[in-house]
Amino acid sequence: MTPMFRKIALVSAATMLGACAAVAHDEPALMQAPPGAPYQQVSELVPLPDYIPGLGALWVDPATLPAGPFLAYDRDGRLSATVYMTPLEALRNGTAYDGLGIGAHNVSSVDVYHNAGHPGVDVPHAHVVLFHDEGARARLAE
């Protein structure tokens, strides 16, 4: 295989994988917990509670760590927010987190705040929270 052909084959394969990932994002399937593979409940991956007031029950595809997206479900299992956790040091050093997935396309408000670290993302980082409807913040606070 020539180097040029190898390069074309690799680019084609990457494009096909990206297209498969885009098709795999089935928004209706994510609206109710559990979201299914490849997502895993964060509390089963690291020592965190099943439900964190303000963030809810979190699910993540481990391959997307540390940034996420983390899917945040309320106590009734309804998708309420998508959360990203971006390490501050990585951002300072120029890391970009491009093309992050979202749990739902509707976003009613966004919060961004500092977190000093916790199990799973134990370094200082920013939480970026996309709330998916007007009542989501209140439901997650319960």
Side-chain angles (χ1 to χ4, degrees):
M1 185 181 293
T2 67
M4 179 59 106
F5 185 81
R6 186 176 298 125
K7 189 174 193 178
I8 291 170
L10 287 172
V11 169
S12 297
T15 302
M16 293 294 285
L17 285 172
C20 291
V23 171
H25 175 81
D26 182 4
E27 185 178 348
L30 302 179
M31 298 309 290
Q32 194 68 35
Y39 292 96
Q40 295 180 27
Q41 193 161 13
V42 171
S43 63
E44 294 178 4
L45 300 172
V46 297
L48 285 172
D50 289 343
Y51 192 92
I52 302 166
L55 289 177
L58 296 175
W59 293 74
V60 69
D61 173 354
T64 66
L65 294 174
F70 293 80
L71 303 180
Y73 294 89
D74 65 18
R75 291 195 185 275
D76 293 326
R78 179 178 170 188
L79 180 65
S80 299
T82 299
V83 181
Y84 309 99
M85 300 182 191
T86 56
L88 299 178
E89 184 69 22
L91 292 171
R92 272 190 224 95
N93 291 334
T95 298
Y97 296 97
D98 297 325
L100 297 173
I102 54 174
H105 296 277
N106 182 52
V107 175
S108 61
S109 65
V110 179
D111 287 356
V112 179
Y113 55 90
H114 177 268
N115 187 289
H118 52 71
V121 186
D122 58 356
V123 296
H125 58 279
H127 279 194
V128 179
V129 183
L130 310 179
F131 293 101
H132 295 304
D133 62 77
E134 293 298 326
R137 180 182 283 108
R139 288 194 316 274
L140 292 175
E142 298 174 348

